[in-house]
Amino acid sequence: MECKEDEEEPLPSSPQTTTGGESAEEEQVMSEVHLGCPPFHSGSHLSHFTIYLPPRKVYDCNTGTFAGTAKGELNSTPPIFNLDEDGDLVLTRRRKPPKDQIIITIQHNITSSIPRVGLQIWRAELVLADFVLHMISMSSIFDGKIAVELGAGTGLVGMLLAHVAKTVFITDHGEEILDNCAKNVNTNAGIFHQNAQIHVRELDWKDSWPPQVAEDLQSKKSYAWTQKEIEELKKASVLLAADVIYSDDLTDAFFSTLERLMSENPEKVLYLALEKRYNFTLDDLDVVANGYSHFRSYLRDVDDAEHNELDSSSSSPCFLGKQINLTEIPKYVREYDRGNDVEIWEIKYQH
């Protein structure tokens, strides 16, 4: 990750205090992705990610294999290499990024308070970006779809999905986070396909459902929904979320929103990336990942459900989860370390 300072303001030397007489110690947290960036400055920074875009493959139903690119062109012509008189490769220095790469620029903070962690880039967000890019290159499951990114933060994953999706709603809560996300969308508009519709909208998981619609244009906030967008939101079939599991009350609100959103037709699938976070607790007298355990309590394993021949007509509604094997997902986003504690889950809602 290449960091570039956009603004420089010293971090406060003591905890922040509200002016209303209420003391609010906002502990500053920092994503491991930002290691190497200037640690003692607040404000916005720019990071540049190199993303490898492999040729899109077409699945041949007759042969059961992938062949050619998305345009049906066959990769039958071997690459041509130039050799010198000793038989060594002659390498030409490239001044521009190769055609199979893009540089995506993300504005973000290096540190933030916990309520504003959406201003940072997190590891699960980059792993989910790898997954989306892999699915785009190997299938057409996202092509022409209506998609929603929940708790989008910087909006990276939703922007990559707009490479092939018809409509992408990038959602989060809080004007500061949404402003930053909108700036990233404008900066990287060149990677979207020309007919893509991408909207940055506010979605508070603790608010009523469906999202409120402004009564008139004068009262309409920058990130408010229109009635047409609400109807389109209900038609979404692809949901995405990364690193939204870190507190139990937020996890409860997240699954409450999921239940209402995924109850709408058509059938929806959620791809959720998260990082296990371990802490020592006095109750357990051990280092445990309680937040992860609370998340898992919402899921019924797909394999277990199939093994028990779950009857959808008689069972109560539940979330079915299947963990994705990350060893099968190449790294398309350069300049970051995946670590060992990130997972991606495919989640469906059984009515």
Side-chain angles (χ1 to χ4, degrees), residues 17 49 53 107 121 127 134-135 159 177 223 242 273 299 322 335 341:
T17 305
F49 290 91
L53 295 176
Q107 177 173 289
I121 300 169
V127 175
H134 185 62
M135 299 308 292
M159 290 189 291
I177 294 173
Y223 306 108
L299 298 184
K322 180 179 181 180
E335 304 122 350
D341 296 318

mmCIF file of all heavy atoms in Angstrom, residues 17 49 53 107 121 127 134-135 159 177 223 242 273 299 322 335 341:
data_model
loop_
_atom_site.group_PDB
_atom_site.id
_atom_site.type_symbol
_atom_site.label_atom_id
_atom_site.label_comp_id
_atom_site.label_asym_id
_atom_site.label_seq_id
_atom_site.Cartn_x
_atom_site.Cartn_y
_atom_site.Cartn_z
ATOM 1 N N THR A 17 -12.739 15.343 24.681
ATOM 2 C CA THR A 17 -13.838 15.608 25.603
ATOM 3 C C THR A 17 -14.895 16.419 24.898
ATOM 4 O O THR A 17 -14.594 17.377 24.188
ATOM 5 C CB THR A 17 -13.349 16.391 26.843
ATOM 6 O OG1 THR A 17 -12.283 15.663 27.451
ATOM 7 C CG2 THR A 17 -14.466 16.574 27.841
ATOM 8 N N PHE A 49 -3.762 1.348 -4.254
ATOM 9 C CA PHE A 49 -3.687 -0.104 -4.310
ATOM 10 C C PHE A 49 -3.571 -0.558 -5.760
ATOM 11 O O PHE A 49 -4.344 -0.123 -6.624
ATOM 12 C CB PHE A 49 -4.923 -0.738 -3.675
ATOM 13 C CG PHE A 49 -4.986 -0.587 -2.181
ATOM 14 C CD1 PHE A 49 -5.626 0.504 -1.611
ATOM 15 C CD2 PHE A 49 -4.394 -1.517 -1.342
ATOM 16 C CE1 PHE A 49 -5.687 0.662 -0.244
ATOM 17 C CE2 PHE A 49 -4.447 -1.372 0.031
ATOM 18 C CZ PHE A 49 -5.095 -0.284 0.580
ATOM 19 N N LEU A 53 -6.150 -7.488 -12.645
ATOM 20 C CA LEU A 53 -7.404 -7.883 -13.285
ATOM 21 C C LEU A 53 -7.129 -8.978 -14.304
ATOM 22 O O LEU A 53 -6.702 -8.701 -15.428
ATOM 23 C CB LEU A 53 -8.057 -6.679 -13.985
ATOM 24 C CG LEU A 53 -8.517 -5.537 -13.076
ATOM 25 C CD1 LEU A 53 -9.045 -4.391 -13.918
ATOM 26 C CD2 LEU A 53 -9.583 -6.019 -12.109
ATOM 27 N N GLN A 107 -9.233 7.350 -0.210
ATOM 28 C CA GLN A 107 -9.034 8.348 0.842
ATOM 29 C C GLN A 107 -9.515 7.736 2.160
ATOM 30 O O GLN A 107 -10.608 7.172 2.223
ATOM 31 C CB GLN A 107 -9.817 9.623 0.537
ATOM 32 C CG GLN A 107 -9.701 10.681 1.633
ATOM 33 C CD GLN A 107 -10.346 11.989 1.250
ATOM 34 O OE1 GLN A 107 -9.849 12.721 0.405
ATOM 35 N NE2 GLN A 107 -11.488 12.281 1.865
ATOM 36 N N ILE A 121 -9.257 1.629 6.404
ATOM 37 C CA ILE A 121 -9.258 0.432 5.574
ATOM 38 C C ILE A 121 -8.911 -0.743 6.481
ATOM 39 O O ILE A 121 -7.956 -0.666 7.251
ATOM 40 C CB ILE A 121 -8.220 0.528 4.439
ATOM 41 C CG1 ILE A 121 -8.528 1.726 3.541
ATOM 42 C CG2 ILE A 121 -8.201 -0.752 3.606
ATOM 43 C CD1 ILE A 121 -7.409 2.041 2.558
ATOM 44 N N VAL A 127 -9.630 -8.614 1.708
ATOM 45 C CA VAL A 127 -9.866 -10.026 1.382
ATOM 46 C C VAL A 127 -11.176 -10.185 0.614
ATOM 47 O O VAL A 127 -11.257 -10.945 -0.353
ATOM 48 C CB VAL A 127 -9.884 -10.879 2.671
ATOM 49 C CG1 VAL A 127 -10.253 -12.323 2.349
ATOM 50 C CG2 VAL A 127 -8.521 -10.837 3.352
ATOM 51 N N HIS A 134 -12.162 -12.303 -7.906
ATOM 52 C CA HIS A 134 -12.046 -13.692 -8.363
ATOM 53 C C HIS A 134 -13.357 -14.164 -8.991
ATOM 54 O O HIS A 134 -13.355 -14.805 -10.052
ATOM 55 C CB HIS A 134 -11.670 -14.588 -7.186
ATOM 56 C CG HIS A 134 -11.413 -16.007 -7.576
ATOM 57 N ND1 HIS A 134 -10.404 -16.377 -8.442
ATOM 58 C CD2 HIS A 134 -12.061 -17.164 -7.237
ATOM 59 C CE1 HIS A 134 -10.419 -17.688 -8.609
ATOM 60 N NE2 HIS A 134 -11.420 -18.184 -7.893
ATOM 61 N N MET A 135 -14.470 -13.841 -8.350
ATOM 62 C CA MET A 135 -15.764 -14.254 -8.890
ATOM 63 C C MET A 135 -16.075 -13.533 -10.200
ATOM 64 O O MET A 135 -16.682 -14.107 -11.110
ATOM 65 C CB MET A 135 -16.871 -13.992 -7.861
ATOM 66 C CG MET A 135 -16.704 -14.761 -6.558
ATOM 67 S SD MET A 135 -16.454 -16.543 -6.804
ATOM 68 C CE MET A 135 -18.055 -17.012 -7.446
ATOM 69 N N MET A 159 -17.245 -0.470 -5.079
ATOM 70 C CA MET A 159 -16.717 0.135 -6.304
ATOM 71 C C MET A 159 -16.182 -0.923 -7.258
ATOM 72 O O MET A 159 -16.366 -0.829 -8.474
ATOM 73 C CB MET A 159 -15.634 1.157 -5.957
ATOM 74 C CG MET A 159 -16.171 2.407 -5.286
ATOM 75 S SD MET A 159 -14.909 3.711 -5.110
ATOM 76 C CE MET A 159 -13.828 2.989 -3.887
ATOM 77 N N ILE A 177 -18.484 9.604 7.352
ATOM 78 C CA ILE A 177 -18.097 8.386 6.638
ATOM 79 C C ILE A 177 -18.672 8.389 5.233
ATOM 80 O O ILE A 177 -17.985 8.038 4.260
ATOM 81 C CB ILE A 177 -18.562 7.147 7.427
ATOM 82 C CG1 ILE A 177 -17.800 7.051 8.746
ATOM 83 C CG2 ILE A 177 -18.363 5.875 6.602
ATOM 84 C CD1 ILE A 177 -18.300 5.965 9.680
ATOM 85 N N TYR A 223 -27.672 11.961 1.374
ATOM 86 C CA TYR A 223 -27.601 10.511 1.246
ATOM 87 C C TYR A 223 -28.930 9.832 1.554
ATOM 88 O O TYR A 223 -28.975 8.664 1.919
ATOM 89 C CB TYR A 223 -26.489 9.976 2.150
ATOM 90 C CG TYR A 223 -25.174 10.665 1.881
ATOM 91 C CD1 TYR A 223 -24.636 11.580 2.795
ATOM 92 C CD2 TYR A 223 -24.477 10.439 0.697
ATOM 93 C CE1 TYR A 223 -23.436 12.234 2.538
ATOM 94 C CE2 TYR A 223 -23.277 11.089 0.424
ATOM 95 C CZ TYR A 223 -22.766 11.985 1.354
ATOM 96 O OH TYR A 223 -21.584 12.631 1.082
ATOM 97 N N ALA A 242 -18.048 -6.222 5.020
ATOM 98 C CA ALA A 242 -16.691 -6.566 5.477
ATOM 99 C C ALA A 242 -16.399 -5.880 6.798
ATOM 100 O O ALA A 242 -16.628 -4.678 6.948
ATOM 101 C CB ALA A 242 -15.649 -6.149 4.434
ATOM 102 N N ALA A 273 -17.191 -10.859 5.038
ATOM 103 C CA ALA A 273 -15.801 -11.073 5.447
ATOM 104 C C ALA A 273 -15.613 -10.480 6.838
ATOM 105 O O ALA A 273 -16.106 -9.386 7.128
ATOM 106 C CB ALA A 273 -14.844 -10.413 4.455
ATOM 107 N N LEU A 299 -25.830 -18.293 13.003
ATOM 108 C CA LEU A 299 -25.754 -19.109 11.793
ATOM 109 C C LEU A 299 -26.022 -20.580 12.074
ATOM 110 O O LEU A 299 -25.583 -21.123 13.093
ATOM 111 C CB LEU A 299 -24.378 -18.988 11.137
ATOM 112 C CG LEU A 299 -23.933 -17.619 10.632
ATOM 113 C CD1 LEU A 299 -22.593 -17.752 9.926
ATOM 114 C CD2 LEU A 299 -24.971 -17.009 9.711
ATOM 115 N N LYS A 322 -22.118 -20.826 5.087
ATOM 116 C CA LYS A 322 -21.101 -21.737 4.557
ATOM 117 C C LYS A 322 -19.800 -20.968 4.424
ATOM 118 O O LYS A 322 -19.744 -19.935 3.753
ATOM 119 C CB LYS A 322 -21.525 -22.291 3.189
ATOM 120 C CG LYS A 322 -20.510 -23.249 2.575
ATOM 121 C CD LYS A 322 -21.010 -23.782 1.246
ATOM 122 C CE LYS A 322 -20.008 -24.753 0.626
ATOM 123 N NZ LYS A 322 -20.498 -25.278 -0.684
ATOM 124 N N GLU A 335 0.036 -5.555 -2.091
ATOM 125 C CA GLU A 335 0.495 -4.685 -1.000
ATOM 126 C C GLU A 335 -0.302 -4.819 0.303
ATOM 127 O O GLU A 335 -0.541 -3.843 0.989
ATOM 128 C CB GLU A 335 0.480 -3.197 -1.435
ATOM 129 C CG GLU A 335 1.283 -2.907 -2.681
ATOM 130 C CD GLU A 335 0.465 -2.285 -3.800
ATOM 131 O OE1 GLU A 335 -0.767 -2.246 -3.700
ATOM 132 O OE2 GLU A 335 1.084 -1.842 -4.763
ATOM 133 N N ASP A 341 -6.506 -14.880 10.375
ATOM 134 C CA ASP A 341 -7.745 -14.812 11.151
ATOM 135 C C ASP A 341 -8.909 -14.192 10.388
ATOM 136 O O ASP A 341 -9.902 -13.792 10.992
ATOM 137 C CB ASP A 341 -7.513 -14.025 12.443
ATOM 138 C CG ASP A 341 -6.528 -14.716 13.367
ATOM 139 O OD1 ASP A 341 -6.629 -15.952 13.495
ATOM 140 O OD2 ASP A 341 -5.655 -14.031 13.937
#
